[in-house]
Amino acid sequence: IAADLGVNNISKLIMYKEACKDYHVPTNFLPSYIDSGDREKKSATELLEQFQCDIKVRKFNELMIEAGYLEERERNTSNRKVYPTGKKPFKVLTEKGRKYGENLTSEKNSKETQPLYYVDAFLELYNLVMQRVR
């Protein structure tokens, strides 16, 4: 699953710890990692606002998918009111997109990822994506 989602090592560790917890397996054998990467990461929503980009995150994500930097995956969910098909979509950076960010385990659900983008590379990504529209 971790390879399929393209998550980083810290997110893999979180996934392993969650799996161990579900099966009541001690986790003291697992290393404790702290994300000490020197590149600051933020969500697309935060960065679009920070850099005063005149586009909504939903549209930006659509353009990212069209450009091959982002893709949509699905996971099973029991919330049939919101997701009648039993599948909840979430976004994943593709291999091409991981030059500009990382797929971190979502804080809301460990079964999905949340793309976070490198602040120092976001404007380059934004310009590449927006060039495809012009």
Side-chain angles (χ1 to χ4, degrees):
I1 293 171
D4 189 42
L5 295 177
V7 298
N8 65 15
N9 286 336
I10 293 165
S11 292
K12 286 179 193 174
L13 180 63
I14 292 167
M15 293 170 77
Y16 291 139
K17 285 186 177 186
E18 287 296 314
C20 287
K21 186 171 76 174
D22 288 349
Y23 290 97
H24 308 290
V25 174
T27 59
N28 58 340
F29 68 93
L30 292 170
S32 295
Y33 285 115
I34 297 173
D35 186 3
S36 60
D38 56 354
R39 296 182 80 179
E40 184 180 8
K41 296 173 279 295
K42 292 185 179 182
S43 70
T45 303
E46 292 174 289
L47 291 169
L48 289 169
E49 183 178 318
Q50 178 179 328
F51 292 116
Q52 301 175 345
C53 301
D54 192 25
I55 188 171
K56 301 287 185 199
V57 73
R58 180 176 294 222
K59 180 64 177 173
F60 182 69
N61 283 342
E62 288 173 10
L63 296 173
M64 289 273 293
I65 290 169
E66 287 176 27
Y69 294 100
L70 195 66
E71 65 185 21
E72 195 166 84
R73 305 257 179 98
E74 294 180 327
R75 68 168 177 84
N76 292 331
T77 181
S78 58
N79 187 346
R80 297 277 180 163
K81 283 185 178 182
V82 179
Y83 307 102
T85 63
K87 301 286 185 183
K88 180 187 182 293
F90 62 97
K91 307 289 189 288
V92 176
L93 286 167
T94 63
E95 186 173 335
K96 179 179 174 182
R98 287 197 298 268
K99 176 181 177 186
Y100 300 98
E102 297 179 19
N103 294 312
L104 300 181
T105 303
S106 173
E107 294 176 5
K108 296 177 184 174
N109 190 312
S110 63
K111 296 176 186 173
E112 62 186 65
T113 60
Q114 171 186 351
L116 290 184
Y117 300 89
Y118 301 128
V119 174
D120 61 358
F122 186 76
L123 282 179
E124 177 185 338
L125 173 63
Y126 174 79
N127 289 328
L128 287 169
V129 170
M130 296 311 290
Q131 282 176 358
R132 294 180 54 91
V133 179
R134 296 179 186 131

